[in-house]
Amino acid sequence: MTTITPVLMAGGSGTRLWPVSRKSFPKQFAALVGDETLFQASARRLSGEGFADPVVMTNSDFRFIVAEQLEQAGIQAGRIVIEPAGRNTAPAILAAALMVAETDAQGMVLVAPSDHVIPDAAAFAAAVAEGTGPAAEGRIVTFGITPDRPETGYGYLELAGAGAGPQPLARFVEKPDADRAARMLEAGNFLWNAGIFLFRADVMIQAFRDHAPHYLDPVQASLSGAQTDLGFLRLAKQPWLEVEDQSIDYAVMEKADNLTVVRFSGRWSDLGGWDAVWREALDRTPSAEGVVCDDNSTAIDCHDVLLRSDSDDLKVVGIGLRDVMVVATSDAVLVADRGRAQEVRKAVTALKQTRAKQAESFPRDHRPWGWFETLALADRFQVKRIVVKPGAALSLQSHVHRSEHWIVVSGTARVTVDDSVTLVTENQSIYVPLGAVHRMENPGKVPMVLIEVQTGSYLGEDDIIRYEDVYSRSSAD
């Protein structure tokens, strides 16, 4: 049996699903539909018999989130590769092909985004199996989705052949307007471009030699200079920065003449907007009125609406609404016409112009040791809730501009303040003076929760001098 190495692309930061998806915690790591995150569901779909352990291409900000979510899903990563900077999909896919080729030049590689919804994993596995024959013969296989509507938000693949089975690709088609999308739907030989590719490693490397040779040297140099960092593979920065920022479609696929398309007729969505989340939810739980609500939302006399609140403390109620989307988090609320879902990114742009932190950051900040969220912030003081995972430890650090007071509300903390090490248990507190070298650890087997009160002239996260860190972070990381 042919073993396929899955490569999950998990470095993007989409804006069309704001406020749930933001730069600091994008949509692939959120549970938008179902109980698992999109990333976990994608990794599970590409695991098991016939698949090697997955390679994940991500960035430094998300490396611990990737590792934690794979561990929660019970999936062993083959490699978690850290890209030094975002350079789109072309160099990432070439790097993955070169890595696989190190041990098997003709190794089979399946590249997939980590933020797609494909509920029928068995049907998708059958489509992959259908593509292994052409891929083994030296074809680059791309997967096209049978369209069920004249969608203007996707690119298309035009088939050169007809009938069942893998077909040659005639051409890529950019996102069309509504009229053209309707004509392509009626024609029957156009599929949505899912951005999923199956190929032999040596075939993809040769495709770069033929069509984008300027990628080869810097990507190979970045891979050759890569260093292992806490189990992650960190690509060398300087050569990577020389790589052109380009998608695989533009760099290679649109120039190659050995492309084959496998049709997938099951349910699929890239969740490219809240309208897509609405449609996916209705597919799972049909509603005659077209109403989608979560447990924190209530619809009264509404039709074709999405009402969602990710905060248990914020209830959303809609009355008499039509074709409206309301999405709330603890610090932001989106209200939009459902037909203008693709314009949500404009909200992010507008918030950036006003320097609103909600544009890119959440109140809850995920760290390798756990997470924290700000409960109150004002001039010269800040109150946080901090949760530290069992066995985890914050870095040994000091602050130039603030002192801290820690109150343990659940579990036990081992606290270092200069030369003193103290166990602080529930309902106990400890003071960390300005400039003191300190560390917090959770020696227990359950999460440790504490309240931190900061006071000082500057309370930014960059006021950290790190002396030791088990996660190898810099002061700015």
Side-chain angles (χ1 to χ4, degrees):
M1 176 183 292
T2 300
T3 299
I4 298 172
T5 299
V7 177
L8 285 167
M9 312 297 283
S13 55
T15 57
R16 288 178 293 176
L17 288 175
W18 184 89
V20 172
S21 174
R22 306 185 197 179
K23 182 179 179 180
S24 66
F25 197 79
K27 68 173 181 175
Q28 61 264 32
F29 303 121
L32 289 168
V33 289
D35 296 328
E36 283 190 314
T37 70
L38 300 179
F39 172 74
Q40 288 172 319
S42 297
R44 191 178 303 283
R45 187 165 56 248
L46 303 181
S47 63
E49 186 177 358
F51 289 106
D53 292 337
V55 173
V56 182
M57 306 296 294
T58 189
N59 60 47
S60 184
D61 290 342
F62 304 148
R63 66 194 189 277
F64 294 109
I65 298 174
V66 165
E68 181 178 15
Q69 291 203 354
L70 286 176
E71 182 181 4
Q72 291 171 349
I75 296 172
Q76 176 68 44
R79 277 180 173 175
I80 299 175
V81 183
I82 301 173
E83 300 176 55
R87 286 296 183 267
N88 217 311
T89 55
I93 290 174
L94 175 57
L98 290 168
M99 282 188 288
V100 172
E102 288 176 352
T103 55
D104 183 1
Q106 295 190 350
M108 203 75 74
V109 181
L110 178 66
V111 174
S114 63
D115 57 358
H116 289 186
V117 173
I118 304 176
D120 192 341
F124 181 74
V128 172
E130 190 176 9
T132 55
E137 295 170 359
R139 308 287 293 180
I140 297 175
V141 177
T142 182
F143 293 84
I145 311 301
T146 302
D148 59 8
R149 62 186 184 277
E151 176 62 56
T152 61
Y154 301 147
Y156 285 71
L157 306 171
E158 182 180 1
L159 301 180
Q167 301 292 330
L169 174 70
R171 64 189 175 108
F172 289 87
V173 180
E174 295 292 332
K175 296 177 182 179
D177 59 25
D179 289 342
R180 191 181 184 196
R183 291 195 301 271
M184 289 192 294
L185 179 65
E186 185 177 358
N189 64 324
F190 291 87
L191 307 176
W192 291 335
N193 182 6
I196 303 173
F197 304 100
L198 177 66
F199 51 83
R200 283 187 353 219
D202 60 337
V203 171
M204 180 56 70
I205 295 168
Q206 186 61 49
F208 273 89
R209 287 196 187 101
D210 293 340
H211 307 296
H214 56 287
Y215 282 93
L216 287 165
D217 287 345
V219 172
Q220 182 62 71
S222 185
L223 187 59
S224 298
Q227 295 184 341
T228 300
D229 176 6
L230 295 175
F232 305 105
L233 184 68
R234 189 182 290 273
L235 299 177
K237 183 176 182 179
Q238 194 53 49
W240 193 261
L241 295 180
E242 299 171 5
V243 175
E244 182 182 6
D245 185 335
Q246 191 64 272
S247 73
I248 190 68
D249 284 357
Y250 288 119
V252 171
M253 298 303 179
E254 293 185 0
K255 304 169 187 175
D257 59 3
N258 61 334
L259 267 65
T260 292
V261 181
V262 169
R263 180 190 294 265
F264 179 69
S265 297
R267 268 177 43 211
W268 168 91
S269 175
D270 71 344
L271 291 191
W274 285 113
D275 55 338
V277 175
W278 172 76
R279 281 193 298 269
E280 179 62 27
L282 285 179
D283 282 338
R284 296 181 179 218
T285 308
S287 163
E289 294 79 20
V291 171
V292 173
C293 287
D294 65 2
D295 293 340
N296 293 321
S297 303
T298 302
I300 301 171
D301 188 27
C302 293
H303 293 268
D304 298 328
V305 300
L306 169 67
L307 304 180
R308 175 186 177 119
S309 172
D310 282 11
S311 172
D312 292 337
D313 296 325
L314 197 160
K315 304 301 180 182
V316 171
V317 179
I319 301 176
L321 301 178
R322 300 292 186 273
D323 295 311
V324 169
M325 309 179 300
V326 180
V327 181
T329 60
S330 63
D331 66 334
V333 179
L334 168 71
V335 181
D337 185 282
R338 191 169 53 82
R340 302 183 68 173
Q342 296 301 309
E343 299 179 46
V344 169
R345 62 182 64 186
K346 293 181 179 179
V348 178
T349 300
L351 289 172
K352 284 182 179 179
Q353 291 173 349
T354 64
R355 297 184 179 180
K357 60 184 180 181
Q358 289 89 342
E360 297 184 333
S361 301
F362 280 102
R364 179 172 294 186
D365 196 325
H366 293 265
R367 295 299 170 96
W369 43 260
W371 55 267
F372 69 84
E373 62 183 347
T374 297
L375 304 178
L377 175 63
D379 186 35
R380 296 190 66 84
F381 82 88
Q382 181 171 208
V383 181
K384 292 180 178 179
R385 174 168 55 174
I386 299 176
V387 177
V388 183
K389 294 184 291 188
L394 281 67
S395 60
L396 185 67
Q397 60 184 252
S398 66
H399 307 297
V400 176
H401 302 287
R402 70 174 184 257
S403 60
E404 297 173 340
H405 192 170
W406 295 341
I407 306 99
V408 175
V409 297
S410 177
T412 299
R414 180 187 291 120
V415 177
T416 299
V417 180
D418 290 330
D419 296 328
S420 173
V421 179
T422 307
L423 285 179
V424 184
T425 59
E426 187 172 325
N427 291 327
Q428 293 183 331
S429 64
I430 194 166
Y431 177 65
V432 181
L434 185 150
V437 177
H438 60 282
R439 167 180 277 159
M440 179 199 312
E441 305 170 70
N442 179 0
K445 296 183 178 180
V446 297
M448 184 266 291
V449 183
L450 61 83
I451 300 297
E452 177 183 83
V453 180
Q454 302 175 350
T455 58
S457 60
Y458 178 71
L459 307 173
E461 287 303 311
D462 55 348
D463 180 22
I464 296 177
I465 301 173
R466 285 197 174 103
Y467 304 97
E468 295 177 8
D469 182 46
V470 295
Y471 308 109
S472 302
R473 294 169 296 167
S474 66
S475 295
D477 186 4

